[in-house]
Amino acid sequence: MLKETDFAITGDEFRFKKDSYPIKKIQDVRIKHLSIIDNLGQIIFWVALFSGALWLAIPNIETAPLWWKILVVCMTVTGLIFALFRCAKFALQIEFWHIDETGLQWINVAKSNSKKELALFEKQVKELKAKCI
């Protein structure tokens, strides 16, 4: 759960917990509403974590016992459901100018699921836009 004290805007930098970003390098700030596609990597990770070893242990799906097939499918579905509940719905992003060849890039500062934290993100967007744009 994120708190208002996790964010701070000091004279020349924006802080989120232990991360800090110089304000002069922040070009823009936004809240992005994340979709399933945005969370696809996390979904694949959790499904693989829950059932990947079981799928790899089946040398041939036709010769596997029925109880093993049921177990594999149940673990895959469990991993998918777990992943869908863990997916973030909102992300606070800053457009940040890096000093190396990366250049200008959108960076996720924080992600969240709750409407309360969305209101906190909106407050940070207003404060940052007033400070740096």
Side-chain angles (χ1 to χ4, degrees):
M1 191 75 181
L2 298 174
K3 302 174 291 224
E4 197 165 335
T5 57
D6 292 336
F7 298 94
I9 300 175
T10 60
D12 60 343
E13 65 183 8
F14 170 63
R15 290 184 178 266
F16 172 68
K17 294 186 179 181
K18 294 183 180 179
D19 297 330
S20 65
Y21 306 94
I23 287 181
K24 64 182 178 182
K25 293 185 179 186
I26 297 175
Q27 303 297 313
D28 198 5
V29 60
R30 70 179 179 189
I31 297 172
K32 183 174 181 182
H33 294 271
L34 302 174
S35 66
I36 294 292
I37 300 300
D38 294 321
N39 289 301
L40 190 60
Q42 183 178 9
I43 292 170
I44 291 170
F45 168 77
W46 285 111
V47 170
L49 185 69
F50 272 80
S51 65
L54 296 174
W55 281 107
L56 291 174
I58 300 176
N60 190 350
I61 194 77
E62 292 86 24
T63 61
L66 180 62
W67 67 269
W68 189 263
K69 293 176 189 176
I70 292 171
L71 178 65
V72 168
V73 170
C74 287
M75 291 304 291
T76 302
V77 170
T78 303
L80 180 63
I81 291 169
F82 182 79
L84 290 175
F85 280 109
R86 297 233 347 133
C87 288
K89 295 178 185 170
F90 316 105
L92 174 64
Q93 296 182 333
I94 57 173
E95 191 174 25
F96 191 75
W97 187 262
H98 294 277
I99 59 172
D100 59 4
E101 296 83 26
T102 307
L104 198 57
Q105 181 180 24
W106 284 101
I107 298 173
N108 289 330
V109 175
K111 292 182 179 181
S112 177
N113 297 357
S114 75
K115 297 283 186 183
K116 183 179 177 184
E117 291 174 350
L118 176 61
L120 181 61
F121 287 173
E122 289 170 348
K123 181 180 177 188
Q124 297 305 314
V125 167
K126 286 179 187 174
E127 289 179 9
L128 271 173
K129 285 197 178 211
K131 187 78 173 179
C132 58
I133 299 173

